[in-house]
Amino acid sequence: MAKSMTEGKPLKLILQFALPLLMGNIFQQTYNIVDAAIVGNYLGTKALASVGASASVQFLVMGFCIGICCGFGIPVAQRFGAKDYNSMRSCIFHAGLLSVIAAVILTVTCALLCPSILHILSTPDDIYSNSYKYLLILFLGIPFTILYNLLSGILRSVGDSKTPFVFLVISTILNILLDLFCIIVMKWGCAGAAAATITAQAVSGILCFIYMWKKFPILRLSKNDCKIKGNVVTNMLVMGVPMGLQYSVTAIGSMVMQSANNGLGSVYVSGFTAGMRIKQFAMCPFDAIATAVSTFCSQNLGAGKHGRIKKGLCEGIVTGVLYGICAGLVLVFFGGTLSRIFISAEETEVLAASAKYLRCLGYFYWSLGILNVCRMTVQGLGYPGRAIFSGVVEMVARIAVSKIFVPLYGFTAICFADQSAWVSAVLYIVPVCYFCTRFVQDNSKKKKE
């Protein structure tokens, strides 16, 4: 059911919206955890390294797909908040058209460049073959990634965060079953893990489409809605491409860091992979809170209720920071224990590397509560270009640490690369977010005068 966030207490609305989104993110990350756990325990640590050796480029490509879909949802949320449903459906049509074009270009390009990407990442020879099979299959599944994220983004734009969660639960269960079948029964190795993941994503995307068509008459497109309009195309690209690039720019720094870590050997690749899976899982609440705040701000911007934007932003930041402190403590004190999900007790070196990585992350985890909420709010207010620069700051920080400090301090420098990026980006995005909220508020006052 579509739901407006322009009336009621901001924090209550944000948390109500964020809860199903959080659960959905957790189940989505469960994809990765199940893959890594089964691969690590049944195929060994080298297979786990094969899955993780290209994690940064997976984040770059999949992040771009998720980013453009989130960006396409912003105009939809603004039109929904303004109750301009004809324009909203026109935005949905253009979002679908542009997503199809993006899916074709990205799938073909990434599949062809897959060997070159692994060489750029300095993938060790002993894991190259499995890394290639895993990455290629994920690239071939890009259309399914875009399908689900586009449709779920549209549903969230009109206030429905519960439905995408339900479909993710179904697809996660399917993913677990397919993982076990493809890896243990069919003996497909790392390729089986990738095949299970994209199959589950395809199911969740198809279910989303069927549900939208049957249950949301307001989202059904008529012939009049399906007319290409240059101004709408421009608006959608202005919102979607910068958000996609923001994810990708951030990932470029991660690729340089991944390459530096890969050069340290398969022990550190395995430890980093296990730690990264736990890090991504622990980041789910940040993404849920930030997306909820962004949707809240987008709808209230469309409704002209600018006073609610500042209040929702402040309450979102406080919520994110409090969670970050709690999650950071868990990573500091229980990182080694959590790493046992993926790594057997006999692999003491790999366990020690993973625990060290998580412990160092935990000290600065609170900063993500500020970074994610402020960045998503800037995007939701219609300033994706300014949000991109926070990704540039992250990229520069990770590259600097990888190129300058990894040769000197090895894996210890890897353990502090993310934190350097987060804190640097926070120093940029906080004043930018402040001025953006002030700008839309001042504009509102001028129009009333």
Side-chain angles (χ1 to χ4, degrees), residues 36-213:
I38 294 177
V39 169
N41 284 285
Y42 286 94
L43 301 179
T45 55
K46 284 195 174 182
L48 179 62
S50 300
V51 171
S54 60
S56 57
V57 78
Q58 293 171 38
F59 176 59
L60 186 152
V61 176
M62 303 307 170
F64 181 79
C65 296
I66 294 170
I68 59 172
C69 292
C70 290
F72 291 158
I74 290 174
V76 175
Q78 292 175 350
R79 302 299 185 277
F80 177 76
K83 294 182 171 58
D84 185 359
Y85 301 129
N86 289 329
S87 295
M88 180 192 71
R89 284 189 288 271
S90 178
C91 288
I92 292 173
F93 164 70
H94 287 84
L97 178 64
L98 293 172
S99 294
V100 170
I101 295 172
V104 173
I105 294 174
L106 288 171
T107 302
V108 173
T109 303
C110 291
L112 293 175
L113 294 178
C114 191
S116 300
I117 290 170
L118 291 172
H119 284 301
I120 291 171
L121 291 173
S122 303
T123 305
D125 292 337
D126 58 344
I127 62 173
Y128 178 86
S129 178
N130 279 332
S131 295
Y132 174 76
K133 294 174 185 177
Y134 183 81
L135 187 60
L136 179 63
I137 293 173
L138 288 184
F139 282 160
L140 295 176
I142 285 175
F144 301 124
T145 300
I146 290 180
L147 174 66
Y148 170 75
N149 283 284
L150 175 65
L151 297 182
S152 62
I154 291 172
L155 287 173
R156 290 171 187 139
S157 295
V158 298
D160 183 5
S161 59
K162 295 180 181 179
T163 301
F165 161 65
V166 172
F167 295 145
L168 271 177
V169 172
I170 295 172
S171 60
T172 298
I173 294 172
L174 177 62
N175 182 230
I176 294 171
L177 296 175
L178 287 174
D179 262 325
L180 295 170
F181 178 75
C182 294
I183 293 175
I184 300 174
V185 179
M186 299 301 296
K187 309 292 184 183
W188 288 351
C190 294
T197 297
I198 64 167
T199 301
Q201 287 181 337
V203 170
S204 61
I206 293 169
L207 289 175
C208 248
F209 177 79
I210 294 172
Y211 181 85
M212 284 176 59
W213 182 260

Side-chain angles (χ1 to χ4, degrees), residues 46 51 59-60 84 104 121 141 225-226 233 246 253 266 288 295 306 319 329 334 337 344 420 432 442:
K46 284 195 174 182
V51 171
F59 176 59
L60 186 152
D84 185 359
V104 173
L121 291 173
D225 298 320
C226 300
V233 170
Q246 182 242 296
S266 58
T295 303
H306 302 89
T319 303
L329 291 173
F334 301 102
T337 303
S344 65
S420 301
V432 168
D442 291 344

Side-chain angles (χ1 to χ4, degrees), residues 350-394:
V350 178
L351 277 173
S354 180
K356 180 178 180 179
Y357 175 69
L358 292 172
R359 183 170 62 252
C360 295
L361 284 178
Y363 298 139
F364 293 88
Y365 227 59
W366 55 268
S367 63
L368 280 172
I370 303 172
L371 175 59
N372 284 16
V373 171
C374 287
R375 178 155 56 199
M376 289 293 288
T377 297
V378 171
Q379 293 168 344
L381 294 177
Y383 300 98
R386 299 182 186 184
I388 279 184
F389 197 73
S390 67
V392 174
V393 172
E394 286 194 68

Side-chain angles (χ1 to χ4, degrees), residues 266-279:
S266 58
V267 168
Y268 291 111
V269 176
S270 298
F272 179 79
T273 299
M276 182 188 58
R277 300 294 191 192
I278 296 168
K279 178 191 79 171

